[in-house]
Amino acid sequence: MRIDDFAVRRVSLAVSVIGLIAVIALAEFSAPVDAAPWEIDDSMLGNTVKTSGIVKWTRMVKGVLIFEIGEGSGISAVVLSPDERELALIVKGGRIEIEGRVEKYEGNIEIVVNKVRALD
Amino acid sequence: MIEVLGFILFGCFAGAFTGLVPGIHTNTIALIAVSFAASAGFGVPLVMMIVSMSVVHSFVSFVPSIALGAPDEDSFISVLPGHRFLLKGLGLHAIKLTAIGGLFACIISIAMLPLFAMFVLKTVHVIYPAMPAIIIIVFALMLHDEKGTTQRKWALYVILLSGSLGLAGLRAGIFGNAIFPLVTGFFGASTLIYSMNKNTGMPAQEFMAKKYRRHTVLTGSALGVIAGALVSLLPSLGPNQAAFILRKIIGKMGTSQYLIVIGGISTVNAIFAFFVLYLAGKARTGTAAAVAELVELSAGDLMLIVATVLLAAGFGVVATEILGKFTLTHISKLPYKIINILVLGMLALLVAGLSGAMGFLLFLTSTGIGLTALTSGVKRTNCMAFLMVPTLAFYIGI
């Protein structure tokens, strides 16, 4: 059975618009909380935060990029399976902004990063 | 030496595997290699494995993209011209064109390496500030390309929808790696659904060798090298955007030449990433970053990389032809509609498995936008706005 292009266009346009609204709503709903690195503590566990600072050091361990971000006191952050852009941005001395979920690993607070942006 | 050759060969086969299976990226294998090196102590042999894998992947990834309409993140723009060839019974010819582009661009790029070294260091500062203007001009050209007010209106809708989806999907962390579901929806699933509804039949595929015009191959490969060099230098600029921009700048380009160009860009981007790492210390790809983790490249390593690239390019061309012929032979035995349903189901499962429910939402929405473009009769390259708008936002600092 063949459906005419006009009907397909109506359905596909409706799917596009509804889908786009849902994507934007989900993106907004999950908007992170702004916080300085030294402000991130146990009370923020499970929340998505946005913070910025200078990368103090980086280390790659079994495909996971670990680094510390901050000025003065900093906070540990990890990128699981970093992509090419993330690896290019997260370098020692670079000023970046990160977004991610606050989690606890071996008793220490860390950010599991899902978004990185260069500030330089 | 035998050990290094063994690793190179393993990399070639790994590249053929990652190229053939949509959604499996070379970065994944490269990261496994890095973690393996930490315990096993291999350095240079693993680097050569990663290099050969990247090069072979850049060739083979065009097979699923053209034969099945199942693209990956680096080859999706070949779906559109490749599908046209496929429906004329020339799927293998289209696949071979990308392989030829990759091979010649590989040879040219190695010959031009000293020039590239000077070029990268001098031009990068000029190109950066010009990127927003280039992208805006390309948008204007995309709209101008459409015929008549109604078509331009629909093209604008498609650009706005795709751009907004790209901006929201690529920026919000909850969608993870959004590129795979978006690419699959815009360029893969929408094509398959449209073909099913049109009852398009796939004609018998021709496997006879065809002649290639020397001028087309050489100019296409040279353009691929230029665009590939830019991609390897500039973050946020992908092979597909570079091909599109190049097409708009130099004007009309035949479909054959276009396929040669995108084959060239894909391979040159994979190769130059390692040289940019050596020359400028910048890791522009995941595989180059993995290499940076393994060793500090020396001039001697660089010579070995050149040899590995040439070996892998030869393997890539042969593997692409064999796998392309194998795939086309088998799919042409099945009714085209059944193939489309099977591939569509496979794509949906891959998206759900690799990107989860959020990725699936992006996949559904981008499929809807891709179908809107197809049923409105406007060019589907307008969907490229999903990458161009976030890139524009990145360069203007929004």
Side-chain angles (χ1 to χ4, degrees):
Chain A
M1 185 188 73
R2 189 176 175 276
I3 308 164
D4 72 88
D5 276 0
F6 185 70
V8 176
R9 187 170 73 189
R10 269 198 304 191
V11 173
S12 54
L13 192 60
V15 169
S16 310
V17 173
I18 294 166
L20 181 60
I21 291 167
V23 167
I24 292 171
L26 282 166
E28 281 302 310
F29 182 70
S30 66
V33 178
D34 277 310
W38 60 86
E39 292 172 338
I40 298 166
D41 55 24
D42 284 7
S43 66
M44 292 181 175
L45 278 175
N47 289 348
T48 303
V49 294
K50 184 196 277 186
T51 190
S52 62
I54 293 169
V55 179
K56 294 178 156 188
W57 51 262
T58 67
R59 198 168 69 231
M60 189 72 133
V61 181
K62 294 184 178 178
V64 177
L65 179 65
I66 307 168
F67 62 101
E68 188 177 336
I69 183 171
E71 287 164 56
S73 61
I75 184 162
S76 292
V78 296
V79 185
L80 311 171
S81 301
D83 63 21
E84 56 214 58
R85 187 180 154 275
E86 289 161 340
L87 287 164
L89 289 177
I90 305 168
V91 288
K92 189 182 172 185
R95 182 179 284 276
I96 57 169
E97 182 183 80
I98 58 170
E99 268 181 40
R101 193 176 154 89
V102 180
E103 289 185 9
K104 212 162 201 177
Y105 180 70
E106 292 181 350
N108 297 315
I109 293 277
E110 66 176 22
I111 301 172
V112 181
V113 180
N114 53 36
K115 190 178 160 192
V116 186
R117 190 167 77 94
L119 293 178
D120 285 329
Chain B
M1 196 60 199
I2 295 291
E3 183 187 67
V4 174
L5 275 173
F7 272 84
I8 292 172
L9 198 61
F10 181 77
C12 287
F13 281 105
F17 172 72
T18 59
L20 203 57
V21 183
I24 306 292
H25 205 274
T26 49
N27 289 355
T28 314
I29 309 284
L31 287 169
I32 293 169
V34 170
S35 55
F36 173 67
S39 54
F42 289 109
V44 172
L46 273 174
V47 168
M48 298 312 145
M49 187 210 92
I50 291 170
V51 171
S52 58
M53 178 178 65
S54 305
V55 173
V56 173
H57 175 98
S58 74
F59 282 90
V60 177
S61 62
F62 289 103
V63 172
S65 184
I66 292 170
L68 302 175
D72 81 346
E73 293 168 15
D74 300 325
S75 63
F76 66 82
I77 207 153
S78 66
V79 172
L80 314 178
H83 202 72
R84 282 205 288 274
F85 272 91
L86 187 75
L87 295 179
K88 287 180 193 164
L90 298 171
L92 189 64
H93 180 58
I95 291 168
K96 279 185 178 177
L97 284 169
T98 62
I100 286 169
L103 181 66
F104 278 83
C106 170
I107 295 165
I108 295 170
S109 65
I110 287 173
M112 304 285 277
L113 209 53
L115 199 66
F116 171 70
M118 287 190 293
F119 171 80
V120 296
L121 300 170
K122 290 194 174 178
T123 54
V124 70
H125 303 293
V126 183
I127 294 170
Y128 262 114
M131 278 307 291
I134 292 171
I135 293 172
I136 290 166
I137 291 168
V138 172
F139 272 131
L141 289 170
M142 281 159 76
L143 287 174
H144 180 74
D145 259 11
E146 300 294 343
K147 291 181 179 70
T149 314
T150 311
Q151 297 297 88
R152 285 185 188 138
K153 186 185 77 180
W154 278 105
L156 185 64
Y157 291 158
V158 171
I159 287 173
L160 289 173
L161 287 167
S162 309
S164 308
L165 185 64
L167 207 55
L170 294 170
R171 286 192 152 198
I174 54 162
F175 295 105
N177 178 13
I179 292 187
F180 177 62
L182 287 171
V183 161
T184 309
F186 280 130
F187 300 97
S190 59
T191 310
L192 296 168
I193 293 170
Y194 189 71
S195 295
M196 278 191 280
N197 189 46
K198 287 281 175 197
N199 285 325
T200 312
M202 188 166 71
Q205 295 294 307
E206 285 182 28
F207 296 122
M208 293 288 284
K210 287 198 169 288
K211 286 185 178 173
Y212 305 97
R213 289 179 59 198
R214 193 184 302 166
H215 174 77
T216 309
V217 171
L218 291 178
T219 52
S221 306
L223 288 170
V225 172
I226 293 167
L230 290 177
V231 171
S232 63
L233 274 173
L234 300 175
S236 300
L237 187 78
N240 311 290
Q241 289 160 295
F244 184 77
I245 291 168
L246 195 68
R247 197 176 199 180
K248 291 296 166 194
I249 291 171
I250 69 164
K252 285 278 177 193
M253 194 191 291
T255 312
S256 297
Q257 193 175 37
Y258 188 59
L259 283 165
I260 291 171
V261 171
I262 55 178
I265 294 173
S266 178
T267 303
V268 169
N269 180 36
I271 296 169
F272 274 176
F274 301 108
F275 295 113
V276 170
L277 177 67
Y278 175 74
L279 292 166
K282 305 278 186 197
R284 294 298 190 210
T285 65
T287 46
V291 166
E293 282 293 320
L294 287 169
V295 292
E296 190 168 334
L297 289 176
S298 66
D301 295 334
L302 208 63
M303 296 312 293
L304 195 53
I305 285 179
V306 169
T308 304
V309 162
L310 290 170
L311 193 69
F315 184 98
V317 172
V318 175
T320 304
E321 182 167 356
I322 292 171
L323 292 170
K325 203 169 181 176
F326 177 84
T327 310
L328 288 167
T329 305
H330 283 80
I331 62 167
S332 58
K333 286 177 186 166
L334 289 166
Y336 191 50
K337 201 163 187 170
I338 300 292
I339 294 163
N340 280 345
I341 291 168
L342 288 175
V343 176
L344 189 63
M346 181 194 76
L347 290 179
L349 282 174
L350 274 172
V351 168
L354 296 172
S355 309
M358 294 298 171
F360 203 79
L361 175 64
L362 293 176
F363 169 71
L364 284 179
T365 312
S366 55
T367 301
I369 299 172
L371 267 173
T372 304
L374 282 166
T375 49
S376 306
V378 301
K379 293 184 180 69
R380 206 145 31 118
T381 42
N382 291 307
C383 296
M384 287 290 295
F386 90 96
L387 272 178
M388 293 168 71
V389 169
T391 306
L392 179 65
F394 172 83
Y395 278 106
I396 60 178
I398 295 175

